[in-house]
Amino acid sequence: MFRVGELGQLKPEKIEEYCALHANPWPEVLKTITDCNLRNYSIFLHGDKVFAYYEYVGENFEADMAKMERDPITQEWWKHTKPCFQKFAIDPDSEFYHGMKQIFYHG
């Protein structure tokens, strides 16, 4: 198991839409998240910044992420969520979430 933290920046005019989508996520998307071995998935909001956290409990992260990317329902979900993001100054080559380095854990 390993933990993942990601940071993203929303377009100010899309914050409400992004929150509304996540207040009522599609059951098929939640099933795919589970089937791809992600647990304890949380998203936090501060202003226009979002922080996501999850734990990966599978054996092959790259294969599970590829499986998620191939899922047609998840692709449809992303058509709604990805336009909510703007490029983030810390990683101008990416438009969505940016990985973070874990520097502390106390279990």
Side-chain angles (χ1 to χ4, degrees):
M1 192 270 296
F2 63 85
R3 295 167 190 81
V4 176
E6 299 173 318
L7 191 61
Q9 186 168 356
L10 298 173
K11 296 173 183 172
E13 69 276 11
K14 294 287 193 172
I15 294 170
E16 189 175 317
E17 178 181 348
Y18 190 80
C19 290
L21 286 164
H22 287 87
N24 192 20
W26 302 349
E28 302 90 348
V29 171
L30 297 178
K31 181 180 181 324
T32 299
I33 289 170
T34 300
D35 290 348
C36 292
N37 297 301
L38 305 185
R39 302 293 184 273
N40 296 318
Y41 200 144
S42 300
I43 300 174
F44 301 86
L45 177 70
H46 181 74
D48 64 352
K49 308 294 187 293
V50 286
F51 169 72
Y53 169 86
Y54 59 86
E55 296 165 356
Y56 178 72
V57 297
E59 299 295 324
N60 188 331
F61 183 74
E62 290 77 20
D64 281 333
M65 294 304 95
K67 176 181 176 180
M68 184 178 289
E69 289 177 12
R70 288 190 307 270
D71 178 66
I73 301 296
T74 300
Q75 290 174 8
E76 188 63 30
W77 173 258
W78 287 342
K79 287 180 185 176
H80 297 278
T81 60
K82 286 186 176 185
C84 294
F85 285 88
Q86 63 182 349
K87 290 193 181 233
F88 200 7
I90 63 170
D91 187 1
D93 293 330
S94 176
E95 292 186 57
F96 309 112
Y97 279 107
H98 313 280
M100 299 174 73
K101 178 182 176 182
Q102 182 178 347
I103 62 167
F104 177 79
Y105 172 76
H106 176 75

